[in-house]
Amino acid sequence: LALQPSTDSREVARLRDITREAVVLWELGLSGPGGAHDIRPDIDDARRGARLEITALERIRATAEVAGEMHESLMEHADDAPLIADVVDMVDAGVMRRVSGRLDDCLDGRGGIRDDASPGLARARRDVAELRRQAQDALRDVAQSVKAHLQEGFITERAGRPVLAVKASSRSAVPGIVHDTSDSGGTLFVEPLPVVEASNRVREAVAREREELAAVLTALTALVEEHAYALEVAVDALAEIDLRLARASLSRQWRGAPVEDGDVLLAGARHPLLDPGSAVPITLDLTSIRTLVVSGPNTGGKTVSLKTLGLFAMLHQCGLEPPADRVRLPVFDTVLADIGDEQSIAESLSTFSAH
């Protein structure tokens, strides 16, 4: 969206060379930075001291990994694409490996944190699992002993606490805390007293697990903050590489021709909005011609031809290769448009028929 035509002939030549390099990379099978994200808002959050969520860390991990891979693959082709290699060379590959490696060690790839992200977290999760098992065993023992007073044989939860479905008429037979009742009132969901202490221990262990998880996220946020500048540079570099490869991809999709310097010459030129299978190519040779009069019947293609020339000029000065067999163009200082013309190439309306 920010791409603008340049009127500086040296800059246009540079853009043209970059696109040609990118076309070569596409032909060598190099893919773009797919999977990367704009992580600058996440980096800003880390700088402000806000603890990053797992989703943000996943974005950063993916972006750092892609940046490292792009650095490696593009530097292998530095001789084929020196201008693009100069951009990726700004990426600190060592930092990208450290950041992506550490995040990969901690993130499980399913929106969670790995048990071995820290010794404390591993210990806390083992405790939670063991205490939950003990609480379930205690509840099963109680359920077996009061089986005749249960509405159903299953064990469920209410408010995060394990409960039994007890017949309302047998309330006194199962001492404990009532956490809920059925809609009919015939069933009480009771946490038996022998299980309460076991459940409390589970809750305490879960709280310790949350604390250890928060400590891991805080440490990973600090890692991002420490390498914030390198990550921002990597994002900028990936965006620029993405744009350069996109210019090449679009040019190849159009079967575009590299633009030569000189007087206007369009050979086999096709307006890019028209179906290439049915569009009639135009040829316009203005070599040493100062003035051209375009004449012909209504809906004959006069406006389309002029628009094609104007659009080709701007595409060229953005670094794109326009769809044609051959293109030669100077660098124009100004491109002027006739405002108010309802002619529409997309709707097959000529200037005359639109009016």
Side-chain angles (χ1 to χ4, degrees):
L1 292 175
L3 192 62
Q4 295 285 338
S6 173
T7 57
D8 183 330
S9 58
R10 286 173 298 184
E11 175 62 12
V12 172
R14 189 182 75 87
L15 291 172
R16 197 166 56 202
D17 291 342
I18 288 170
T19 300
R20 188 80 318 247
E21 287 187 1
V23 168
V24 170
L25 292 176
W26 272 113
E27 291 171 349
L28 289 171
L30 185 84
S31 60
H37 303 268
D38 181 3
I39 57 173
R40 291 173 298 182
D42 301 323
I43 294 171
D44 289 341
D45 288 343
R47 280 190 171 126
R48 288 197 300 270
R51 189 169 65 216
L52 295 179
E53 298 295 329
I54 293 173
T55 52
L57 294 169
E58 288 280 12
R59 289 192 294 268
I60 293 168
R61 182 204 61 76
T63 303
E65 184 176 337
V66 169
E69 291 172 352
M70 290 298 297
H71 182 276
E72 181 179 351
S73 58
L74 282 173
M75 293 310 291
E76 288 179 1
H77 298 290
D79 293 339
D80 299 309
L83 294 171
I84 296 180
D86 285 346
V87 175
V88 79
D89 197 34
M90 296 188 300
V91 174
D92 189 329
V95 168
M96 296 304 109
R97 283 193 295 270
R98 284 197 295 277
V99 171
S100 63
R102 177 60 181 143
L103 292 175
D104 205 41
D105 288 343
C106 295
L107 304 175
D108 65 9
R110 301 184 301 275
I113 297 293
R114 292 164 56 101
D115 292 350
D116 57 357
S118 77
L121 182 61
R123 188 165 50 250
R125 286 183 170 172
R126 283 196 301 270
D127 290 347
V128 168
E130 175 60 22
L131 291 169
R132 276 184 172 150
R133 185 190 62 76
Q134 292 176 11
Q136 290 293 319
D137 289 347
L139 192 62
R140 275 193 291 270
D141 291 343
V142 172
Q144 189 63 32
S145 65
V146 297
K147 189 174 183 179
H149 302 289
L150 300 183
Q151 195 73 269
E152 301 285 349
F154 61 83
I155 295 171
T156 184
E157 282 192 359
R158 287 294 186 274
R161 310 283 292 200
V163 294
L164 297 175
V166 178
K167 298 174 184 177
S169 58
S170 301
R171 171 68 184 88
S172 60
V174 186
I177 301 171
V178 177
H179 287 285
D180 199 4
T181 62
S182 65
D183 291 339
S184 65
T187 303
L188 304 177
F189 294 96
V190 179
E191 181 182 9
L193 288 179
V195 181
V196 171
E197 183 57 32
S199 297
N200 287 341
R201 288 196 295 272
V202 170
R203 288 215 159 184
E204 290 168 4
V206 169
R208 288 195 298 272
E209 179 192 8
R210 282 198 299 268
E211 291 172 0
E212 292 294 340
L213 184 60
V216 171
L217 293 176
T218 298
L220 295 178
T221 300
L223 174 74
V224 172
E225 183 183 10
E226 178 186 354
H227 299 298
Y229 177 74
L231 288 167
E232 285 177 331
V233 169
V235 170
D236 291 340
L238 290 177
E240 179 62 26
I241 291 165
D242 197 25
L243 175 61
R244 293 180 179 195
L245 292 174
R247 290 206 305 260
S249 177
L250 183 58
S251 298
R252 290 174 72 250
Q253 178 183 321
W254 283 338
R255 301 194 303 276
V259 180
E260 307 166 26
D261 289 319
D263 291 341
V264 171
L265 170 64
L266 306 184
R270 304 172 305 278
H271 192 291
L273 290 183
L274 295 176
D275 179 2
S278 59
V280 177
I282 65 168
T283 294
L284 181 63
D285 187 356
L286 299 184
T287 306
S288 303
I289 295 176
R290 293 184 56 81
T291 303
L292 175 71
V293 176
V294 183
S295 178
N298 296 323
T299 69
K302 299 184 296 298
T303 304
V304 172
S305 298
L306 292 172
K307 283 191 170 184
T308 299
L309 174 57
L311 186 56
F312 273 35
M314 290 188 286
L315 293 175
H316 165 227
Q317 289 171 219
C318 285
L320 286 151
E321 297 181 352
D325 297 332
R326 184 185 174 194
V327 182
R328 191 175 66 220
L329 288 169
V331 174
F332 292 97
D333 296 325
T334 309
V335 175
L336 304 177
D338 175 15
I339 304 300
D341 183 357
E342 296 300 321
Q343 189 257 13
S344 170
I345 290 173
E347 297 179 17
S348 299
L349 289 176
S350 71
T351 300
F352 176 80
S353 60
H355 282 299

